[in-house]
Amino acid sequence: MATSTSVIPNSVIPSTVNPDLQKERDGATVRSDEFAAWWAGGEEVLKFNRGVRKYLEKDVDTLEMLQLQNKTHEEIIEFSTRGAIEGAKKLRRLQEERNPRGEDYWPNLYDNQVMWGLVPGGNPFGVMYVMLVKALQAQCTPEQYADFGKRLERFEICGTYAQTELGHGTYLRGLETRADFDRKTDEFVLNTPKISSYKWWPGGLGHSSNHCLVMAQLYIDDKCKGPHMFFIQVRDEDTHEPLPGVHIGDIGKKMGFIGVNNGFLGLKNVRIPRTRMLMRHAQVKADGSYVSSPTNVLTYFAMVRTRCLIARNNAIMLAAASTIATRYSAVRRQSPIDPNEREPQIIDHVTQQMKLFPEIATSVAYRQASNYLWNLYDVTIQDIANGKYERLPELHSLSCALKVTCSMDSTSGVEKLRLACGGHGYLTSSNMSNIYVSATAACTYEGENTVLLLQIGRFLMKTWRAALTGAPLPPTVRYLAEVQKNPEFGTWTGSWENMVKAMQYAAANKTRLAFKSLSNRLSRGETETNSANHTGIEFTQAAELHGRAFVFSAFTEVVTGAKSKTRSANLNQVLENLLELYLVKETLNQMGHLLRFINLTDTDLSRLQDRLETVLTKLRPDAVAIVDGFDFSDLQLNSTLGSYDGNAYERIFDAALKNPMNQKAVPKSFHEILKPFMKSNI
């Protein structure tokens, strides 16, 4: 060690809770367990989650997890693989012990938050259960799923979902991987014709998959039928060697998801049986005849589910960062407010509260909005099973909108929270950097945000046009028709209901203006595609406001709706404070758009500022109890700053002592490089 252990012990972490943090818990108006039960979805759900998490995390070295960033790329992949497989083993044992014929533990929880602590660098088999198994369940015929889908679900084989290419991402019709049907052999022949055609980015593809679901352009008699899914084997099941015609490997280190083993895949004349094309909706017969899917969206439905998951997960990431920064702000003392008094907890500074509390409120808002989205997803799944596809456009648009706004807001929010931790937030042991790069990745994967906003914009144009004809609209866009019927906003009152209406009104009028611009360009003779391109900025603005209007509405309904009668007065007051903060701060953030359409006076704006400052004061006593109610374990947070005991300084120091650089008093570079240079005559 660089310093004698007789001077500084091997571990300096006390066994007691920081008194400032304990004081916060003792002084809260709401019990953290009550908030946790609400956050989880009920007492029984909370109890279940905690029981599973305790089982998964026993015998795991929390302090070792803090050293993840000190490992090499290869060591990180091996470490993540070991953690993922240990988690799978434990979930299987739980399933066998508690419900042998069920799936509530394994595999249902493998992509759940309870697994996060075991794989801080990401799960190399996460995509297999988040996307691949779900895609096979939705797209395979029953015979196909029995043939190879079940093997994957049981983890007898391992695989990933390969769609993105080196040269193409969100624009699926531009994918270059092709699958040509060979009638003579009743096979498809798959090729990636050039470097830009290589599959690039799939999680777990590098060295953690022996099978792959490949999105490729289907060709019959050299005529393209569009993107379809093909299940192929890429590695030998016993030796794990790549099969003939398969070029596969890891794409290298990334900013985040450092343990996920993202990979590349090249194919050269790889042949698979015709029955390896997923054929629940579209089919290719042995004679080469083609039966198209009833709707093209079904081909991409796995991405819709993943976007729903992103909205939920990014809300949870923001909650995790909020927990770390809030607990740290309760134990850090600095910069006297009154020079005659002791340095205060930095959480007492109003400017610090403004960094912390809005992000807590935002995470809660997005979590509630994502719950609505998941309910819509479940209903749509049932509709599809019954041959009904009417909800698909709304679900697609809403999942895009929430994915975009939640990824944007969580990314910026985590960065604000890192800054709220001062210099120590810059340590990798704070885990703020890992949370940030995980959050910001969602701005790009499963549809780059700008591209998704443009898709939402086109949906809004169709919906606006439909509303003009009096056609019925899906629930989440009915406000467009209401604004068409009642074009005047009325009086600004500043009530919650009024603020929801204002955000919808701004979104509707942004949609109206975009529709007007699009129509003007079409009337001047521009093509539909060029008109849409030239109206793209207005599309994205309308789309973003549409997403924000939905969050306003969903969060307000949760807090003020019928279920509020089942909650305690104290919990309701805390939720109302969070709602007040979210609506007021986001209304102020979007004031540039609102003022264009709604007449707000200087007095109205001053009142909003007063409300903002007032609700920060109201939330101050409950901030720690709320983030405790997010119910993260120390292993899940993996942070020296955010542990439950609040011993931040000792944990920072302990992590530094365990740094590999400090295991020798003198580094090799001193003798080989530094000392010879200093002793030279140069």
Side-chain angles (χ1 to χ4, degrees):
M1 294 286 290
T3 307
S4 171
T5 54
S6 62
V7 179
I8 297 179
N10 190 45
S11 178
V12 296
I13 303 171
S15 58
T16 55
V17 174
N18 181 288
D20 279 335
L21 196 56
Q22 189 59 52
K23 180 191 71 174
E24 295 295 323
R25 290 172 177 141
D26 294 340
T29 69
V30 66
R31 293 184 301 105
S32 61
D33 277 355
E34 183 181 9
F35 188 94
W38 172 79
W39 177 256
E43 292 278 1
E44 288 303 313
V45 178
L46 177 63
K47 182 180 178 181
F48 177 83
N49 289 344
R50 285 178 171 178
V52 174
R53 188 177 69 195
K54 182 179 180 181
Y55 188 93
L56 290 177
E57 293 183 358
K58 65 181 179 182
D59 304 325
V60 177
D61 188 344
T62 304
L63 299 179
E64 182 190 8
M65 292 294 184
L66 290 170
Q67 299 299 320
L68 179 68
Q69 297 284 353
N70 293 322
K71 299 179 184 292
T72 67
H73 182 52
E74 185 175 4
E75 287 171 342
I76 289 169
I77 299 299
E78 291 179 358
F79 183 81
S80 298
T81 301
R82 186 176 298 109
I85 296 304
E86 283 301 312
K89 289 177 180 177
K90 289 179 177 179
L91 287 174
R92 279 179 168 177
R93 285 199 297 270
L94 268 179
Q95 191 68 65
E96 187 62 31
E97 292 170 8
R98 301 182 183 180
N99 187 13
R101 296 185 179 181
E103 297 181 343
D104 43 341
Y105 295 92
W106 174 263
N108 288 2
L109 293 181
Y110 197 54
D111 64 344
N112 188 278
Q113 180 190 338
V114 295
M115 275 289 296
W116 287 9
L118 277 64
V119 282
N123 188 342
F125 308 102
V127 173
M128 184 164 88
Y129 283 96
V130 170
M131 290 193 73
L132 179 51
V133 170
K134 300 300 181 183
L136 293 179
Q137 289 171 343
Q139 303 289 340
C140 282
T141 65
E143 295 77 16
Q144 287 179 317
Y145 196 76
D147 184 18
F148 51 82
K150 272 292 182 183
R151 293 192 69 209
L152 197 79
E153 183 184 320
R154 292 192 293 261
F155 216 146
E156 294 172 7
I157 55 177
C158 47
T160 189
Y161 182 94
Q163 180 170 288
T164 300
E165 296 176 354
L166 188 57
H168 281 89
T170 307
Y171 182 60
L172 300 188
R173 283 176 290 174
L175 294 178
E176 296 172 343
T177 303
R178 59 185 291 161
D180 290 83
F181 181 60
D182 185 345
R183 281 188 186 81
K184 295 179 181 177
T185 61
D186 200 29
E187 294 174 320
F188 291 108
V189 185
L190 282 87
N191 281 281
T192 48
K194 46 189 177 180
I195 287 179
S196 60
S197 316
Y198 265 60
K199 295 300 179 184
W200 199 271
W201 281 111
L205 178 60
H207 300 87
S208 306
S209 298
N210 54 26
H211 287 74
C212 198
L213 185 60
V214 172
M215 185 76 81
Q217 303 289 357
L218 168 63
Y219 281 85
I220 301 175
D221 297 328
D222 211 31
K223 293 180 181 178
C224 185
K225 302 295 184 181
H228 290 69
M229 297 179 182
F230 302 85
F231 191 74
I232 69 172
Q233 184 175 349
V234 292
R235 290 179 180 271
D236 185 274
E237 291 185 22
D238 291 322
T239 66
H240 211 54
E241 289 289 337
L243 296 183
V246 174
H247 186 203
I248 192 171
D250 184 276
I251 64 172
K253 297 187 78 171
K254 312 168 296 291
M255 290 173 61
F257 290 102
I258 54 179
V260 172
N261 193 209
N262 299 75
F264 64 78
L265 174 68
L267 303 170
K268 186 174 182 180
N269 294 327
V270 172
R271 289 180 170 269
I272 61 172
R274 178 176 55 84
T275 53
R276 286 299 184 270
M277 181 183 114
L278 306 195
M279 293 196 194
R280 169 171 285 188
H281 302 295
Q283 294 98 36
V284 175
K285 306 295 185 182
D287 62 1
S289 58
Y290 175 71
V291 180
S292 62
S293 170
T295 175
N296 290 334
V297 178
L298 291 174
T299 307
Y300 320 129
F301 199 65
M303 294 179 68
V304 172
R305 182 185 184 277
T306 306
R307 288 168 189 153
C308 296
L309 192 65
I310 289 169
R312 185 186 73 189
N313 285 352
N314 273 56
I316 295 172
M317 289 178 203
L318 184 57
S322 297
T323 303
I324 293 167
T326 300
R327 286 177 176 170
Y328 179 69
S329 297
V331 302
R332 174 82 167 181
R333 287 181 172 271
Q334 191 164 294
S335 303
I337 297 171
D338 183 336
N340 297 317
E341 294 184 0
R342 178 189 180 191
E343 285 185 300
Q345 298 161 278
I346 60 173
I347 198 172
D348 285 332
H349 291 276
V350 175
T351 49
Q352 185 74 358
Q353 294 169 16
M354 189 59 198
K355 293 176 184 177
L356 302 173
F357 300 171
E359 305 313 324
I360 295 174
T362 299
S363 67
V364 176
Y366 276 113
R367 175 64 180 271
Q368 304 317 306
S370 73
N371 287 343
Y372 179 101
L373 183 63
W374 275 107
N375 290 335
L376 179 61
Y377 175 86
D378 290 339
V379 171
T380 306
I381 282 285
Q382 292 299 318
D383 283 355
I384 291 172
N386 295 321
K388 300 177 182 178
Y389 309 106
E390 293 81 4
R391 295 184 201 266
L392 276 172
E394 181 189 25
L395 176 62
H396 175 259
S397 175
L398 196 59
S399 66
C400 289
L402 212 54
K403 184 267 191 192
V404 169
T405 55
C406 188
S407 63
M408 287 169 49
D409 290 353
S410 60
T411 297
S412 62
V414 172
E415 175 63 0
K416 290 173 189 173
L417 293 163
R418 180 190 71 80
L419 294 171
C421 295
H424 295 326
Y426 198 67
L427 289 166
T428 58
S429 71
S430 76
N431 204 33
M432 284 298 200
S433 59
N434 188 45
I435 297 173
Y436 175 82
V437 293
S438 297
T440 195
C443 294
T444 307
Y445 66 69
E446 299 311 316
E448 192 276 332
N449 277 358
T450 302
V451 175
L452 294 188
L453 286 172
L454 290 170
Q455 290 182 16
I456 301 163
R458 288 192 287 272
F459 170 76
L460 291 175
M461 295 304 101
K462 293 178 182 177
T463 306
W464 187 264
R465 185 179 292 113
L468 289 172
T469 67
L473 303 183
T476 55
V477 284
R478 284 177 188 158
Y479 70 88
L480 297 177
E482 292 169 8
V483 172
Q484 286 181 3
K485 294 174 185 175
N486 302 290
E488 296 300 322
F489 177 74
T491 304
W492 168 268
T493 66
S495 69
W496 295 337
E497 183 182 4
N498 191 243
M499 284 193 278
V500 173
K501 179 183 175 184
M503 193 61 71
Q504 292 175 338
Y505 188 78
N509 277 285
K510 275 289 186 180
T511 301
R512 173 180 59 82
L513 292 177
F515 185 83
K516 181 179 178 181
S517 297
L518 180 68
S519 300
N520 287 341
R521 288 185 168 103
L522 289 168
S523 66
R524 291 196 299 265
E526 289 191 34
T527 64
E528 284 194 29
T529 51
N530 281 340
S531 296
N533 178 46
H534 293 149
T535 318
I537 295 174
E538 292 183 85
F539 278 12
T540 61
Q541 292 171 344
E544 182 181 337
L545 284 176
H546 169 64
R548 298 196 181 284
F550 169 71
V551 179
F552 266 45
S553 176
F555 191 19
T556 302
E557 171 59 28
V558 168
V559 174
T560 65
K563 289 187 178 180
S564 64
K565 295 180 175 62
T566 66
R567 301 190 293 256
S568 73
N570 285 355
L571 178 56
N572 274 332
Q573 186 60 63
V574 166
L575 294 178
E576 287 169 8
N577 289 339
L578 290 170
L579 175 64
E580 166 80 352
L581 177 54
Y582 179 75
L583 294 180
V584 170
K585 72 95 178 176
E586 197 57 41
T587 295
L588 288 169
N589 287 346
Q590 303 302 326
M591 192 54 67
H593 295 303
L594 294 169
L595 286 174
R596 184 171 184 180
F597 308 112
I598 301 171
N599 182 26
L600 280 87
T601 66
D602 185 64
T603 300
D604 293 327
L605 298 181
S606 295
R607 285 174 179 164
L608 284 171
Q609 182 65 28
D610 290 342
R611 288 170 65 179
L612 178 70
E613 294 166 7
T614 298
V615 76
L616 291 176
T617 301
K618 288 181 177 180
L619 279 166
R620 167 65 185 87
D622 295 311
V624 169
I626 293 169
V627 299
D628 281 354
F630 289 148
D631 204 47
F632 293 103
S633 67
D634 282 353
L635 191 64
Q636 288 174 321
L637 292 177
N638 199 32
S639 172
T640 52
L641 306 188
S643 64
Y644 186 82
D645 62 23
N647 294 312
Y649 297 148
E650 295 85 354
R651 288 182 179 276
I652 291 170
F653 209 113
D654 188 77
L657 292 177
K658 291 180 170 59
N659 186 325
M661 282 294 295
N662 292 325
Q663 303 314 302
K664 292 181 180 179
V666 180
K668 184 171 63 174
S669 60
F670 173 79
H671 295 291
E672 296 182 357
I673 303 170
L674 180 57
K675 181 179 178 180
F677 178 76
M678 291 192 294
K679 296 293 184 181
S680 70
N681 293 321
I682 296 176

